[in-house]
Amino acid sequence: MGSLDIAGFEAAARARLADDVWGYIQGGSGSESALRANREALERLRVRPRFLVDVSACDPSTSVLGLPLATPLGIAPMAYHRLAHPEGEVATAEAAGASGTLLTVSMFASRTLEDIAAAAAGSPLWLQLYWLRERAAVVELADRAAAAGFSALVLTVDAPKVARRPRDSRSGFTVPEGIGAVNLPSSLTASAHRHSEGASSIERHSREQFDPGITWADLAWLRERTSLPLLIKGILTAEDAELAVAHGASGVVVSNHGGRQLDCAVASADALPEIVDAVGGRCPVVVDGGIRHGSDVLKVLALGADLALIGRPVLWGLAQGGAAGVAELLELLRAELTEAMVLSGCPLTSDINRSFITAG
Amino acid sequence: MGSLDIAGFEAAARARLADDVWGYIQGGSGSESALRANREALERLRVRPRFLVDVSACDPSTSVLGLPLATPLGIAPMAYHRLAHPEGEVATAEAAGASGTLLTVSMFASRTLEDIAAAAAGSPLWLQLYWLRERAAVVELADRAAAAGFSALVLTVDAPKVARRPRDSRSGFTVPEGIGAVNLPSSLTASAHRHSEGASSIERHSREQFDPGITWADLAWLRERTSLPLLIKGILTAEDAELAVAHGASGVVVSNHGGRQLDCAVASADALPEIVDAVGGRCPVVVDGGIRHGSDVLKVLALGADLALIGRPVLWGLAQGGAAGVAELLELLRAELTEAMVLSGCPLTSDINRSFITAG
Amino acid sequence: MGSLDIAGFEAAARARLADDVWGYIQGGSGSESALRANREALERLRVRPRFLVDVSACDPSTSVLGLPLATPLGIAPMAYHRLAHPEGEVATAEAAGASGTLLTVSMFASRTLEDIAAAAAGSPLWLQLYWLRERAAVVELADRAAAAGFSALVLTVDAPKVARRPRDSRSGFTVPEGIGAVNLPSSLTASAHRHSEGASSIERHSREQFDPGITWADLAWLRERTSLPLLIKGILTAEDAELAVAHGASGVVVSNHGGRQLDCAVASADALPEIVDAVGGRCPVVVDGGIRHGSDVLKVLALGADLALIGRPVLWGLAQGGAAGVAELLELLRAELTEAMVLSGCPLTSDINRSFITAG
Amino acid sequence: MGSLDIAGFEAAARARLADDVWGYIQGGSGSESALRANREALERLRVRPRFLVDVSACDPSTSVLGLPLATPLGIAPMAYHRLAHPEGEVATAEAAGASGTLLTVSMFASRTLEDIAAAAAGSPLWLQLYWLRERAAVVELADRAAAAGFSALVLTVDAPKVARRPRDSRSGFTVPEGIGAVNLPSSLTASAHRHSEGASSIERHSREQFDPGITWADLAWLRERTSLPLLIKGILTAEDAELAVAHGASGVVVSNHGGRQLDCAVASADALPEIVDAVGGRCPVVVDGGIRHGSDVLKVLALGADLALIGRPVLWGLAQGGAAGVAELLELLRAELTEAMVLSGCPLTSDINRSFITAG
Ligand SMILES: Cc1cc2nc3c(=O)[nH]c(=O)nc-3n(C[C@H](O)[C@H](O)[C@H](O)COP(=O)(O)O)c2cc1C
Ligand SMILES: Cc1cc2nc3c(=O)[nH]c(=O)nc-3n(C[C@H](O)[C@H](O)[C@H](O)COP(=O)(O)O)c2cc1C
Ligand SMILES: Cc1cc2nc3c(=O)[nH]c(=O)nc-3n(C[C@H](O)[C@H](O)[C@H](O)COP(=O)(O)O)c2cc1C
Ligand SMILES: Cc1cc2nc3c(=O)[nH]c(=O)nc-3n(C[C@H](O)[C@H](O)[C@H](O)COP(=O)(O)O)c2cc1C
């Protein structure tokens, strides 16, 4: 195992990436208060460990929606992995596949679903979707995903449009020529590359393409057109979790989009308990936002999540060393989680429950 | 749209204004603890956004006291806009008028009510009043306002005298010759220009002119002498809100004067909920203090306010670019608010309620 | 009025005093956590001001134990004022006397009670006492105080010994030759001047002279030997306040000795409410610790105190300008308090009650 | 008495020790959040002192498990004291013995139990044990301890393996040749000295030797093989405290291993009250983690602990001056605790109860 800890991965990536790309990856919307809130919420939680439990064979494996997973830690959907490394999502998938880690591929992936699936080598893949005005393109993508062996769809609902992100406005961030959302018709993606003074092309592009008019009622339309289970990503209230279940969602992802959408949004770890309670076991509850240590995974599992996703750190690993960097990052987090299970007396992920958590 | 965010406006204004003017605008009273408390109270609040609501046509418009407003965001009364820009309130009114933004003109405006009204071009104007010892001057001003098409009066009650503001005492701040409260008889304003060592002329002037003896009972006297609705500005308790309604106020403005009066006062956002509850819909509740982002407006509306006023940022816009600067600032906040509505699932301002707020 | 605010007084004093004297005055015991806690407790409190109350004649005067006082702000007992200025307590008394401010003279005053009384010119004086092993000296001092026109005694009970104060240990602080506790027999004070490496002579002296064995039962002994009312200083719990009243105390001073005794002690403002409740009006409740602004006085009065004492700031004024400096300091605080009363709608100190306070 | 306060001891030690040794001593696991939490929990607590109690003879002595102790402050088990000073545990024992302070000797002591016992000169000694895969070695050690006059065993249960500690991984910390766990067969300790890139030899060694499979049921096996009382160290929940008592533990040590094991663990002072309540006086409750001042001891005793242990500060004293340095450190803490008892009105440790504590 390498010797980088999470701060080391961050520093290494910072050193390798251009300023505007770094700003796009690291940044949040507005005053970045939701970004900070995610970490603060996790740090506030403390664990009540139990001892003299046989932890000689701690096993972080789990299963979600019938999929066996090496750890309750998956990769969150992020656009354009090629920003971090020339091989992009294929490198990420290789590392994920080798370790049996769930990879959620963004609708704005910069490598084809088919190449990604090949690299993942049978390890579970989900495909994240935004609801485009051009509905046919969404369904077509869902079909390709099913054909390529993806096992679920994740509809992101917290982005009727992409939020203003000051770092991108200031840098005038534009997706570089040569990197693109290769799984979408180019007619739909051209404007992401058009530079304009003092504005983010990503934000403008989302205004053109995303459909801000869809409602819970529209979900049925999509569900009828795909055989894949459909998770809803971006849920932050018990009310919406209840609606998701009522509308046949196969799972919910509790997320504030890593602090990149509504700037004043509640932290995902703070929203989690009420959502777990509302869902009441009727479907899996996934969570992301600020997960940086194995112990963060232990904490959200204790609050009732079934799975945690990590975002930015994966791009740090990718920037630092391609597939090998991601593999090292995933191994670090897996090792930290296993250690946290050993040191808190939880041989199995199913042993982790709310009695392990306190506000400190 | 320009590329400045709110911090950019502040920095631009700082660079353009003289030290003592900047101190007068930015400063608070005493140790500036009420100034800080306003921001801290807003930052503590977090929003619970809802999704899969049709937000294709988010509309931030609202109406207060029967006035249609482009946004629930108005301009707080501030003395002497000419300190920030030679055109003063006329430039502000031009920008407000063009965007349908409510402008509250200070009794100490540095341009005439009539010129301001002309520039506002029919967009709603309120006139702020202090209760002067010279009562006749107050009534005369109210009459002129009515004649000039102003639609309401705002009586500021949190200033029986102007508080000590250390930045002004240190700088010996005096309103420069050539800038004045042009709507008042010069006999009443002369002393605001008399310099004295280690003291603020503004503070001394208020001691001479403001009547610290008025009580709730005196409100009737003023209400009998004007046909305009009368709002009470500076309310910070449920008890005073109840008294305001009982004494026929047409609205209350929850405010600690932007941290410029009682230094130990509660933050306006912290006082807001009890006041909303006490008023119980009997009149509009307006709030100001520390509003800097569109999401701050969303937060106070969720707590039950009908309208939020911004103070200092308007002077930043004015200093930076006159009418154009104010227009840009107002557009920034309007765009941010609309985005916050889109991203939290509130197509209309009337959709925003207390279920959207949590302490985080 | 001069132009210094409280921070200005502190800075001016710092510049004039030797490092070891400054350390002795400013410092607290141990890690200085009680010192910090005093300020934090006051800052946490926020005021709920009321408006449209006739404040044309705000009057900060009050009376305690039948003594009319210009303000509910007195001077806390502090040893050796001559450390700050050659004229010592006589200068302080002159300023206090001129403004009708209560002065509590320390048992370790560096000027005679009689000279101090002469300078105070009839303004109220209290004498603070420690309980010495040499009981006769205590009674003799009480007698002299009565003869000199002092109106009450204050027995400090939080110092069975003087605590370790790291700043003094490091500086090896010793009361300079030429400055002494002139009201005590020199046999009792000599050791305060004996220098020893790495130790505070003040602490050693207290171990030799103070009687750590006295109990509530002993109070009767002292009360029988003086006709002056006796307040108990250093109370931090409802239980001790109850005992004080039960043992005939004429008042209690809620105090952690300005963070100079038990380092882990609760802040005085945090202890105040339970003590006010326990005393239930049976005797005056005085408080000190961290009072730096007029608004701090308003806050503790709102919590139920009858009188607030200030410590260190008086020595800052003294160091900066002798009697004139103290006068200026007292005037600053009086003006600030009056302003806070004007701006919160309290014409009289008796109008200030718990409804004016909130935790913010 | 010397003039160093606790910060002085820390600074002196820092100056004398090599970087990697310092990192090993000072460091915590992971992001060191449990390390910080320990101090924060203690600082949040404030004391409600009582006065006019006879404190002329404050006596910090106590007894635990029938052992008379000079103070309720013992020395926590720490590996390899020779890292701090060539004489190692013998110097520590000399200082502990001279002052009647309980010393808990680590299973990884770098001097023989017999030499340590000789130096302690009859003062109480406990032996700390980890449960090794090689059970015979554990029992043999327990036997030697009993023979050498140790009076209790402390089984540390929070370390089924040693946690990752970033400072040690970065420095590649390896126990230097010439320093070793001399009470264990060398076959069991060799690997602690094998250097490997980017990894801590301590962590690797623990994986090879510690038995992560033991459970509460195994305790009986150990208890049958020793006549010494057995305390369980590392308890952080009421549930485990209850299990400890139920399985015949003679005491529990509330500890998160000084922030060196589960990084997200609750602070020991925060866990203490629920454990005191669960134990209900059926056995002594010992606590460690972040105790740095006499007042910290007062606080944990007020929360119901019978004994507090200090870790790192003892090594600071040792590094600074061998036996004399430890003696000075112990004397500092004893004096501080006695002063805190004097200043809070607690003549005896048994007077200290929960009424003395508040959250502040
Ligand atoms: C560079 C970047 C791109 C992202 N792109 C998407 C995306 O295309 N679709 C999506 O649903 N979420 C996207 N997200 C949000 C992530 O899925 C996830 O919610 C978030 O990053 C989790 O927080 P973390 O980065 O603090 O771990 C993106 C995040 C980042 C940092
Ligand atoms: C420079 C300046 C002048 C002001 N003048 C007045 C005034 O004449 N009348 C009044 O009622 N409030 C006045 N205020 C207070 C504002 O109406 C408002 O309450 C406050 O500025 C809102 O806080 P904000 O600046 O943090 O947005 C003034 C504020 C500033 C900054
Ligand atoms: C330099 C100094 C000397 C003091 N001497 C005494 C004293 O002789 N007797 C006493 O009861 N308190 C004494 N005190 C404590 C004060 O009476 C008072 O409790 C404390 O200073 C109030 O806190 P403040 O300084 O934060 O206003 C002293 C305080 C200081 C700063
Ligand atoms: C350098 C070092 C070595 C330690 N070795 C052991 C050990 O061998 N066995 C054990 O049970 N605890 C060990 N501990 C933990 C201590 O017993 C104790 O729980 C902790 O240090 C208390 O926290 P403090 O250092 O903040 O006072 C060690 C701690 C340190 C700092």
Side-chain angles (χ1 to χ4, degrees):
Chain A
M1 208 206 59
S3 62
L4 286 183
D5 61 11
I6 192 78
F9 277 103
E10 187 170 5
R14 177 67 197 92
R16 273 163 210 262
L17 296 176
D19 285 357
D20 66 338
V21 169
W22 182 250
Y24 169 67
I25 289 175
Q26 292 297 100
S29 53
S31 60
E32 303 195 334
S33 78
L35 185 59
R36 284 187 298 277
N38 280 348
R39 282 298 311 152
E40 287 165 10
L42 285 166
E43 281 171 4
R44 233 183 290 126
L45 298 166
R46 311 243 23 110
V47 169
R48 304 172 70 245
R50 304 293 304 276
F51 298 106
L52 291 176
V53 169
D54 180 351
V55 289
S56 51
C58 268
D59 175 4
S61 72
T62 188
S63 82
V64 172
L65 292 177
L67 290 173
L69 297 173
T71 68
L73 186 68
I75 300 176
M78 289 178 292
Y80 311 114
H81 286 205
R82 289 190 58 214
L83 290 171
H85 189 273
E87 291 171 31
E89 288 81 0
V90 162
T92 314
E94 207 178 293
S99 61
T101 302
L102 170 76
L103 168 61
T104 312
V105 175
S106 167
M107 181 182 237
F108 290 89
S110 51
R111 298 296 303 267
T112 64
L113 301 190
E114 293 75 14
D115 284 355
I116 295 168
S123 174
L125 294 171
W126 289 355
L127 175 66
Q128 176 269 333
L129 300 172
Y130 291 108
W131 194 294
L132 303 183
R133 298 187 198 265
E134 184 59 48
R135 291 189 175 200
V138 179
V139 174
E140 199 196 302
L141 213 55
D143 285 347
R144 271 176 62 197
F150 282 62
S151 46
L153 300 175
V154 177
L155 181 70
T156 300
V157 298
D158 60 10
K161 61 159 288 205
V162 166
R164 293 167 175 239
R165 299 180 186 148
R167 300 201 209 194
D168 295 350
S169 310
R170 276 196 295 267
S171 72
F173 178 68
T174 306
V175 183
E177 286 304 326
I179 299 184
V182 298
N183 296 294
L184 291 172
S186 59
S187 60
L188 298 184
T189 61
S191 93
H193 301 277
R194 268 202 319 274
H195 185 78
S196 52
E197 251 345 289
S200 150
S201 64
I202 298 264
E203 185 198 345
R204 192 189 50 233
H205 176 251
S206 76
R207 273 201 300 266
E208 294 169 15
Q209 304 300 338
F210 291 8
D211 185 348
I214 54 153
T215 67
W216 289 104
D218 293 301
L219 278 190
W221 184 90
L222 182 58
R223 286 180 54 235
E224 279 162 21
R225 277 158 187 78
T226 176
S227 56
L228 292 176
L230 183 66
L231 295 97
I232 308 295
K233 175 168 183 277
I235 299 301
L236 287 170
T237 60
E239 296 91 319
D240 274 354
E242 183 60 51
L243 284 167
V245 173
H247 286 83
S250 303
V252 295
V253 184
V254 181
S255 173
N256 64 18
H257 213 111
R260 297 164 78 86
Q261 289 294 110
L262 183 68
D263 180 33
C264 52
V266 65
S268 52
D270 282 334
L272 182 57
E274 71 175 58
I275 292 170
V276 167
D277 291 345
V279 166
R282 288 176 289 167
C283 70
V285 176
V286 185
V287 66
D288 72 20
I291 305 283
R292 295 294 175 269
H293 303 282
S295 57
D296 296 326
V297 182
L298 187 75
K299 287 172 181 177
V300 294
L301 262 59
L303 291 178
D306 296 286
L307 181 67
L309 305 181
I310 32 165
R312 295 170 180 91
V314 172
L315 298 182
W316 302 341
L318 194 58
Q320 186 253 328
V326 175
E328 210 183 306
L329 184 278
L330 293 175
E331 171 52 20
L332 170 66
L333 290 169
R334 195 203 54 75
E336 284 185 358
L337 170 59
T338 309
E339 181 175 292
M341 294 172 69
V342 166
L343 297 181
S344 61
C346 296
L348 303 175
T349 54
S350 55
D351 292 321
I352 308 171
N353 60 48
R354 229 174 256 186
S355 76
F356 284 83
I357 267 298
T358 175
Chain B
M1 206 208 60
S3 63
L4 285 184
D5 61 10
I6 192 77
F9 277 102
E10 186 170 5
R14 176 69 198 89
R16 273 163 211 261
L17 297 174
D19 285 357
D20 65 337
V21 170
W22 183 249
Y24 170 66
I25 290 175
Q26 293 297 99
S29 53
S31 60
E32 303 196 334
S33 78
L35 184 59
R36 284 187 299 275
N38 280 349
R39 282 297 312 151
E40 287 165 9
L42 285 166
E43 281 171 5
R44 232 183 290 125
L45 298 166
R46 311 243 24 110
V47 170
R48 303 172 69 246
R50 303 294 303 276
F51 299 106
L52 290 176
V53 169
D54 181 351
V55 289
S56 51
C58 269
D59 176 3
S61 72
T62 188
S63 83
V64 172
L65 292 177
L67 290 173
L69 297 172
T71 68
L73 186 68
I75 300 178
M78 289 179 292
Y80 312 114
H81 286 204
R82 290 190 60 213
L83 289 171
H85 189 272
E87 292 171 31
E89 288 80 0
V90 163
T92 313
E94 206 179 293
S99 60
T101 303
L102 170 76
L103 168 61
T104 312
V105 176
S106 168
M107 179 182 241
F108 291 90
S110 52
R111 299 294 304 266
T112 66
L113 300 189
E114 293 74 15
D115 285 354
I116 295 169
S123 173
L125 293 172
W126 290 353
L127 175 66
Q128 177 269 333
L129 300 171
Y130 290 107
W131 195 295
L132 304 184
R133 298 186 198 267
E134 185 59 49
R135 289 189 177 202
V138 179
V139 174
E140 199 196 301
L141 213 55
D143 286 346
R144 273 177 61 198
F150 282 63
S151 47
L153 300 175
V154 178
L155 181 70
T156 300
V157 297
D158 60 9
K161 61 158 287 205
V162 166
R164 295 167 173 236
R165 298 179 188 150
R167 300 201 209 193
D168 296 350
S169 310
R170 276 195 295 266
S171 72
F173 178 69
T174 307
V175 183
E177 286 305 325
I179 298 184
V182 297
N183 296 294
L184 292 172
S186 60
S187 61
L188 298 184
T189 61
S191 92
H193 301 276
R194 269 202 319 274
H195 185 76
S196 51
E197 252 345 290
S200 150
S201 64
I202 298 263
E203 185 199 343
R204 191 190 49 233
H205 176 251
S206 75
R207 271 199 303 263
E208 293 168 16
Q209 305 298 338
F210 292 7
D211 185 347
I214 54 154
T215 66
W216 288 105
D218 293 300
L219 278 190
W221 183 91
L222 182 58
R223 285 182 53 236
E224 279 161 24
R225 277 158 187 80
T226 177
S227 57
L228 292 176
L230 183 66
L231 296 96
I232 308 294
K233 175 168 183 277
I235 299 299
L236 287 171
T237 59
E239 295 91 320
D240 274 354
E242 184 59 51
L243 284 167
V245 173
H247 287 84
S250 303
V252 294
V253 184
V254 181
S255 174
N256 64 19
H257 213 111
R260 296 164 78 85
Q261 289 293 110
L262 183 68
D263 180 33
C264 53
V266 65
S268 52
D270 282 333
L272 181 56
E274 73 175 58
I275 291 170
V276 167
D277 291 345
V279 166
R282 288 175 289 166
C283 71
V285 176
V286 185
V287 66
D288 72 19
I291 305 284
R292 295 294 176 268
H293 303 282
S295 58
D296 296 327
V297 182
L298 187 76
K299 287 172 181 176
V300 294
L301 263 60
L303 291 178
D306 296 286
L307 181 66
L309 305 181
I310 32 167
R312 296 171 179 91
V314 172
L315 299 182
W316 302 341
L318 194 58
Q320 186 253 328
V326 175
E328 210 183 305
L329 184 276
L330 293 174
E331 170 53 20
L332 170 67
L333 289 169
R334 195 204 53 76
E336 284 186 357
L337 170 59
T338 310
E339 180 175 292
M341 292 172 70
V342 167
L343 298 181
S344 61
C346 296
L348 303 174
T349 54
S350 55
D351 292 322
I352 308 171
N353 61 47
R354 229 173 256 186
S355 77
F356 283 83
I357 265 302
T358 175
Chain C
M1 206 207 60
S3 63
L4 285 183
D5 61 10
I6 191 76
F9 277 103
E10 186 170 4
R14 176 69 197 92
R16 273 162 211 262
L17 296 175
D19 285 357
D20 66 337
V21 170
W22 182 249
Y24 169 68
I25 289 175
Q26 292 296 99
S29 54
S31 59
E32 301 194 338
S33 77
L35 184 59
R36 285 186 300 276
N38 279 349
R39 282 297 311 150
E40 287 165 10
L42 286 165
E43 282 171 4
R44 234 182 289 126
L45 298 167
R46 312 245 20 113
V47 169
R48 302 173 70 246
R50 304 295 303 275
F51 298 107
L52 291 176
V53 169
D54 180 352
V55 288
S56 51
C58 269
D59 175 3
S61 72
T62 189
S63 82
V64 172
L65 292 177
L67 290 173
L69 298 173
T71 68
L73 186 67
I75 300 178
M78 290 178 292
Y80 312 113
H81 286 205
R82 290 191 59 214
L83 289 172
H85 189 272
E87 291 170 31
E89 288 79 2
V90 163
T92 313
E94 208 178 292
S99 60
T101 302
L102 169 77
L103 168 62
T104 312
V105 176
S106 167
M107 180 182 239
F108 290 89
S110 52
R111 297 296 302 266
T112 65
L113 300 190
E114 293 73 16
D115 285 354
I116 295 169
S123 174
L125 294 172
W126 290 354
L127 174 65
Q128 176 269 333
L129 300 171
Y130 291 108
W131 194 296
L132 304 183
R133 297 185 198 268
E134 184 59 50
R135 291 188 175 200
V138 179
V139 174
E140 198 196 303
L141 213 54
D143 285 347
R144 273 176 60 198
F150 282 63
S151 48
L153 301 175
V154 177
L155 181 69
T156 300
V157 297
D158 60 9
K161 61 158 287 204
V162 166
R164 294 168 174 238
R165 298 179 188 150
R167 301 201 209 193
D168 296 349
S169 309
R170 275 195 295 266
S171 72
F173 178 69
T174 306
V175 184
E177 285 306 324
I179 299 184
V182 296
N183 296 294
L184 291 172
S186 60
S187 61
L188 297 185
T189 62
S191 93
H193 302 276
R194 267 203 320 275
H195 185 78
S196 52
E197 251 346 291
S200 150
S201 64
I202 299 264
E203 185 199 345
R204 191 190 49 233
H205 176 251
S206 75
R207 271 201 302 265
E208 293 169 14
Q209 304 299 338
F210 292 7
D211 185 347
I214 55 153
T215 67
W216 290 104
D218 294 300
L219 279 190
W221 183 90
L222 182 57
R223 286 180 53 235
E224 279 162 23
R225 279 158 187 78
T226 178
S227 56
L228 293 175
L230 183 68
L231 296 96
I232 308 293
K233 175 168 184 277
I235 299 299
L236 287 170
T237 60
E239 295 91 319
D240 274 354
E242 183 59 52
L243 283 167
V245 173
H247 287 84
S250 303
V252 295
V253 184
V254 180
S255 172
N256 64 20
H257 214 112
R260 296 164 79 85
Q261 289 293 111
L262 184 67
D263 179 35
C264 52
V266 66
S268 52
D270 282 332
L272 181 56
E274 72 174 58
I275 292 169
V276 167
D277 292 345
V279 166
R282 289 177 288 166
C283 72
V285 176
V286 185
V287 66
D288 72 20
I291 305 284
R292 296 294 176 267
H293 304 282
S295 58
D296 296 326
V297 182
L298 187 75
K299 288 172 181 177
V300 295
L301 262 58
L303 292 178
D306 297 285
L307 181 67
L309 305 181
I310 32 163
R312 295 171 181 91
V314 172
L315 299 182
W316 303 341
L318 194 58
Q320 187 254 327
V326 174
E328 211 184 302
L329 184 276
L330 292 175
E331 171 52 19
L332 170 67
L333 289 170
R334 196 205 52 77
E336 284 185 356
L337 170 60
T338 310
E339 180 176 291
M341 292 172 70
V342 167
L343 298 180
S344 61
C346 295
L348 303 175
T349 55
S350 55
D351 293 321
I352 308 170
N353 61 46
R354 230 175 256 187
S355 77
F356 284 83
I357 262 308
T358 173
Chain D
M1 206 207 61
S3 63
L4 285 184
D5 61 10
I6 191 78
F9 277 102
E10 186 170 3
R14 176 67 196 92
R16 274 162 210 261
L17 297 176
D19 286 357
D20 66 337
V21 169
W22 182 250
Y24 169 67
I25 289 175
Q26 291 297 98
S29 53
S31 59
E32 302 194 336
S33 77
L35 185 58
R36 285 188 299 276
N38 279 349
R39 282 298 310 152
E40 288 165 10
L42 285 166
E43 281 170 6
R44 233 183 288 126
L45 298 167
R46 310 238 31 103
V47 169
R48 303 174 70 246
R50 304 294 304 276
F51 299 107
L52 290 176
V53 168
D54 180 351
V55 288
S56 51
C58 270
D59 175 4
S61 72
T62 188
S63 83
V64 172
L65 292 176
L67 290 173
L69 298 172
T71 70
L73 186 68
I75 300 177
M78 289 179 291
Y80 312 113
H81 286 205
R82 291 191 58 213
L83 289 171
H85 189 272
E87 289 171 33
E89 288 80 1
V90 163
T92 313
E94 207 178 294
S99 61
T101 302
L102 170 76
L103 168 61
T104 312
V105 176
S106 167
M107 180 182 236
F108 290 89
S110 52
R111 298 296 303 267
T112 65
L113 302 190
E114 292 74 16
D115 285 355
I116 296 169
S123 174
L125 294 171
W126 289 355
L127 174 67
Q128 177 269 332
L129 300 172
Y130 291 108
W131 194 295
L132 304 182
R133 298 187 198 266
E134 183 60 46
R135 292 189 174 198
V138 179
V139 174
E140 199 197 302
L141 213 54
D143 286 347
R144 273 177 60 197
F150 282 63
S151 48
L153 301 175
V154 177
L155 181 69
T156 300
V157 297
D158 60 10
K161 60 159 289 207
V162 167
R164 294 169 173 236
R165 298 178 188 151
R167 301 201 208 194
D168 296 350
S169 308
R170 277 196 294 270
S171 72
F173 178 68
T174 306
V175 182
E177 286 304 325
I179 299 183
V182 297
N183 295 294
L184 292 172
S186 60
S187 60
L188 298 186
T189 62
S191 92
H193 301 277
R194 267 202 320 273
H195 185 75
S196 52
E197 250 347 288
S200 149
S201 64
I202 298 264
E203 185 199 344
R204 190 190 51 230
H205 176 252
S206 75
R207 272 202 302 266
E208 294 168 15
Q209 304 299 337
F210 291 7
D211 185 348
I214 54 153
T215 67
W216 289 104
D218 293 301
L219 279 190
W221 184 90
L222 181 58
R223 288 181 53 236
E224 280 162 22
R225 277 158 188 79
T226 176
S227 56
L228 293 176
L230 182 67
L231 296 95
I232 308 293
K233 176 168 183 276
I235 299 299
L236 287 170
T237 60
E239 295 92 318
D240 274 354
E242 183 60 51
L243 283 167
V245 174
H247 286 84
S250 304
V252 295
V253 183
V254 180
S255 172
N256 65 18
H257 213 111
R260 298 164 77 85
Q261 289 294 109
L262 183 68
D263 180 34
C264 53
V266 66
S268 52
D270 282 332
L272 182 57
E274 72 175 58
I275 292 170
V276 167
D277 292 345
V279 165
R282 288 177 289 166
C283 71
V285 175
V286 184
V287 65
D288 72 21
I291 305 284
R292 296 293 176 269
H293 304 283
S295 58
D296 296 326
V297 182
L298 187 74
K299 288 172 181 178
V300 295
L301 261 59
L303 291 178
D306 297 285
L307 181 68
L309 306 181
I310 32 164
R312 295 170 180 91
V314 172
L315 299 181
W316 302 341
L318 194 58
Q320 186 254 328
V326 175
E328 210 183 305
L329 183 279
L330 292 175
E331 171 52 20
L332 170 66
L333 289 169
R334 196 204 55 75
E336 284 186 357
L337 170 60
T338 309
E339 181 176 290
M341 292 172 69
V342 167
L343 297 180
S344 61
C346 296
L348 303 175
T349 54
S350 55
D351 292 321
I352 308 170
N353 60 47
R354 232 176 253 186
S355 77
F356 283 83
I357 266 299
T358 174

